[in-house]
Amino acid sequence: MKSEPDAYGWDDLVTEGEGTWDGVRNYRARNNLAAMEVGDLAFFYHSNIGKEIVGIVEISASGLPDPTDDTGKWAAVKVRPVEKLRRPVTLKEIKADPSFAEIELLRQSRLSVAEILPEEWKRIIALSKR
């Protein structure tokens, strides 16, 4: 889940304790949001500034209508911070690692909510512990 840290960063979410992930206006990203269930985990990615995965969030409410949408087409979820990664994993690292050749984060780089497969998740966690 991508957010510009100068607009809404990891520290903002930690301060709030729970945040609403809304304002997504891409169909693939919307579908990714709509597929999330309470208890699912997601990475928090700082886009624009930093370009790095900085933490893990848990979906605390799912299947919500986007409160910024009057059409009813767009989805939202609520998230809570779980943990900050020991070390952020940068976009540069992900691009340089051949095991991420098919990761949606790179294949559809403009998505604000990208699917991360289980093996990709494990690899990102391993990189964060280096």
Side-chain angles (χ1 to χ4, degrees):
M1 303 179 90
K2 292 181 183 179
S3 184
E4 296 176 14
D6 57 340
Y8 188 81
W10 173 261
D11 292 337
D12 297 311
L13 177 60
V14 170
T15 298
E16 287 184 2
E18 182 178 58
T20 302
W21 215 270
D22 58 14
V24 172
R25 297 297 185 266
N26 172 286
Y27 286 103
R28 174 63 186 160
R30 178 204 61 189
N31 293 346
N32 288 338
L33 274 177
M36 294 176 169
E37 297 179 3
V38 171
D40 285 351
L41 299 177
F43 287 119
F44 192 111
Y45 178 94
H46 280 168
S47 62
N48 260 358
I49 302 167
K51 296 184 181 179
E52 59 193 5
I53 298 169
V54 296
I56 298 172
V57 299
E58 179 179 14
I59 307 308
S60 55
S62 62
L64 304 174
D66 185 326
T68 67
D69 170 37
D70 294 333
T71 70
K73 292 193 297 188
W74 303 102
V77 297
K78 288 189 179 279
V79 297
R80 289 190 190 119
V82 173
E83 70 177 291
K84 187 173 186 176
L85 295 183
R86 187 166 87 193
R87 184 185 72 75
V89 177
T90 67
L91 181 60
K92 184 176 179 179
E93 286 177 273
I94 292 169
K95 285 181 175 180
D97 189 324
S99 67
F100 293 121
E102 295 301 314
I103 193 170
E104 192 169 62
L105 179 68
L106 298 180
R107 283 188 301 106
Q108 293 187 307
S109 62
R110 296 193 48 91
L111 285 182
S112 58
V113 181
E115 179 181 18
I116 302 294
L117 301 176
E119 288 305 312
E120 296 164 344
W121 181 277
K122 289 177 193 171
R123 180 72 181 131
I124 290 167
I125 294 296
L127 287 172
S128 76
K129 294 179 178 179
R130 283 190 174 174

